[in-house]
């Protein structure tokens, strides 16, 4: 028996396959224009990696913003529940999860059983999400994966625009005015980290705190969150896969 969890995100689609002996396989693909094709691609790759057939998979559970657009899943589950499940399995000591993805950010409080106690979510505004960093990285002629290593906090300038489109213009203006790119990048990290930390404080932060989602790969944002919240921030090695892992674990539990 095997179970698959798919997290069809705004930017990236993630999949985790778990076999009965708990062996795990994972895959990530750009979601692109078609969540359906991304899901099909993930399932094919996961089956290939595990050397099994579709018939060997008991259940496929899906989460993420594109979950309703796909036909492969036996059931869809909210991202909040899946992230809580995935993180609690990897890090049972965690009580607060901060997830920053491509188009939303969320803070989730969990108990010792991995059950959701409360959560807060920003899915209205791109500021404080991975999209903000992607758009502004492009304005700086960089890929989002290059930002963290390129920041220089000693030259940090504030990026004050609340809106991603205005922030892009602000950055172009700052660079044209002679501000260093490395200082602007530090300002971008500060902007995202502060915004999400404020949401976390409103909900209430309890140790220990985990940081997940694609933006958790960015050490600059991680540092700002740690400073703002005054605590250590744990980033699991599979930080971008915790939603898919949670979905796969729930599929196996059934
Ligand atoms: P979604 O589920 O909405 O697709 P993810 O949790 O997969 O979101 O996160 C996507 C975001 O993660 C991107 O918008 C980008 O900002 C960030 N990201 C992805 N890969 C990297 C990387 N290698 N380094 C830094 N940031 C990254």
């Amino acid at each position: 028996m095997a179970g698959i969890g798919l997290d069809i995100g705004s930017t990236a689609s993630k999949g985790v396959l778990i076999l009965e002996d708990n062996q795990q396989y994972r895959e990530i693909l750009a979601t692109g224009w078609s969540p359906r094709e991304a899901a099909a691609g993930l399932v094919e790759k996961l089956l290939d990696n595990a050397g099994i057939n579709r018939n060997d998979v008991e259940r496929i559970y899906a989460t993420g913003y594109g979950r309703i657009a796909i036909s492969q899943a036996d059931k869809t589950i909210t991202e909040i529940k899946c992230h809580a499940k995935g993180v609690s399995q990897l890090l049972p000591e965690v009580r607060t999860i901060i997830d920053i993805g491509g188009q939303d950010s969320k803070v989730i409080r969990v108990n010792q059983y991995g059950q959701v106690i409360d959560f807060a979510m920003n899915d209205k505004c791109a500021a404080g999400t991975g999209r903000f960093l992607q758009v502004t990285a492009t304005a700086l002629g960089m890929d989002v994966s290059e930002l963290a290593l390129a920041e220089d906090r000693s030259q940090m300038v504030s990026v004050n625009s609340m809106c991603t489109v205005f922030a892009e213009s602000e950055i172009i203006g700052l660079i044209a005015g002679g501000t260093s790119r490395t200082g602007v990048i530090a300002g971008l990290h500060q902007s995202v980290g502060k915004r999400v930390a404020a949401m976390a404080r409103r909900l209430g932060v309890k140790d220990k705190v985990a940081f997940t989602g694609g933006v958790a790969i960015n050490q600059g944002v991680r540092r700002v969150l740690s400073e703002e919240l005054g605590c250590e921030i744990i980033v699991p090695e599979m930080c971008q896969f915790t939603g898919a892992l949670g979905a796969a674990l729930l599929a196996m539990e059934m």
Side-chain angles (χ1 to χ4, degrees):
M1 184 196 149
I4 290 181
L6 300 176
D7 177 3
I8 310 299
S10 61
T11 312
S13 291
K14 287 76 64 179
V16 171
L17 182 151
I18 305 180
L19 295 177
E20 211 160 11
D21 63 2
N22 210 22
Q23 207 171 338
Q24 295 183 5
Y25 298 85
R26 60 177 127 148
E27 274 295 339
I28 182 165
L29 289 175
T31 301
W33 67 274
S34 170
R36 206 178 255 259
E37 278 186 21
L42 278 178
V43 171
E44 196 183 315
K45 276 177 174 268
L46 287 168
L47 294 175
D48 230 37
N49 295 350
I52 60 172
N53 299 314
R54 176 66 184 85
N55 293 341
D56 301 322
V57 178
E58 202 90 354
R59 267 174 299 275
I60 299 182
Y61 280 9
T63 189
Y65 112 108
R67 64 184 179 273
I68 44 165
I70 67 169
S71 54
Q72 292 86 351
D74 300 301
K75 190 173 173 182
T76 60
I77 309 180
T78 68
E79 289 175 68
I80 303 289
K81 196 169 174 188
C82 289
H83 283 291
K85 182 76 187 170
V87 172
S88 297
Q89 209 247 5
L90 294 173
L91 302 164
E93 70 280 19
V94 161
R95 294 292 169 270
T96 308
I97 302 162
I98 297 175
D99 182 271
I100 312 183
Q103 71 171 17
D104 66 25
S105 43
K106 5 188 198 297
V107 183
I108 309 166
R109 293 272 312 275
V110 291
N111 65 16
Q112 67 267 42
Y113 309 110
Q115 293 160 334
V116 178
I117 301 172
D118 203 358
F119 72 93
M121 188 162 178
N122 159 36
D123 57 358
K124 300 282 181 290
C125 170
T129 71
R131 173 79 62 228
F132 179 84
L133 292 173
Q134 277 184 284
V135 170
T136 49
T138 304
L140 290 168
M142 300 172 74
D143 185 77
V144 74
S145 60
E146 298 172 308
L147 290 179
L149 284 179
E151 78 168 355
D152 180 353
R153 301 188 97 208
S154 68
Q155 297 190 27
M156 184 164 74
V157 290
S158 297
V159 178
N160 297 312
S161 301
M162 300 284 280
C163 163
T164 303
V165 178
F166 290 145
E168 197 181 358
S169 317
E170 188 181 344
I171 287 164
I172 292 166
L174 283 168
I175 298 291
T179 306
S180 77
R181 190 162 82 156
T182 53
V184 172
I185 294 167
L188 294 174
H189 294 158
Q190 190 78 3
S191 166
V192 173
K194 272 189 158 217
R195 215 171 284 270
V196 179
M199 179 166 74
R201 275 194 298 266
R202 282 196 295 276
L203 185 74
V205 175
K206 197 169 183 308
D207 263 354
K208 296 187 166 185
V209 181
F211 182 20
T212 64
V215 177
I217 301 169
N218 182 321
Q219 287 160 12
V221 178
R222 185 198 309 190
R223 194 178 308 113
V224 177
L225 279 176
S226 175
E227 283 169 6
E228 289 290 316
L229 298 176
C231 64
E232 188 201 351
I233 303 285
I234 309 165
V235 177
E237 181 263 323
M238 55 190 300
C239 62
Q240 207 170 357
F241 288 85
T242 50
L245 172 66
L249 289 168
L250 290 164
M252 289 299 278
E253 269 179 15
M254 284 303 295

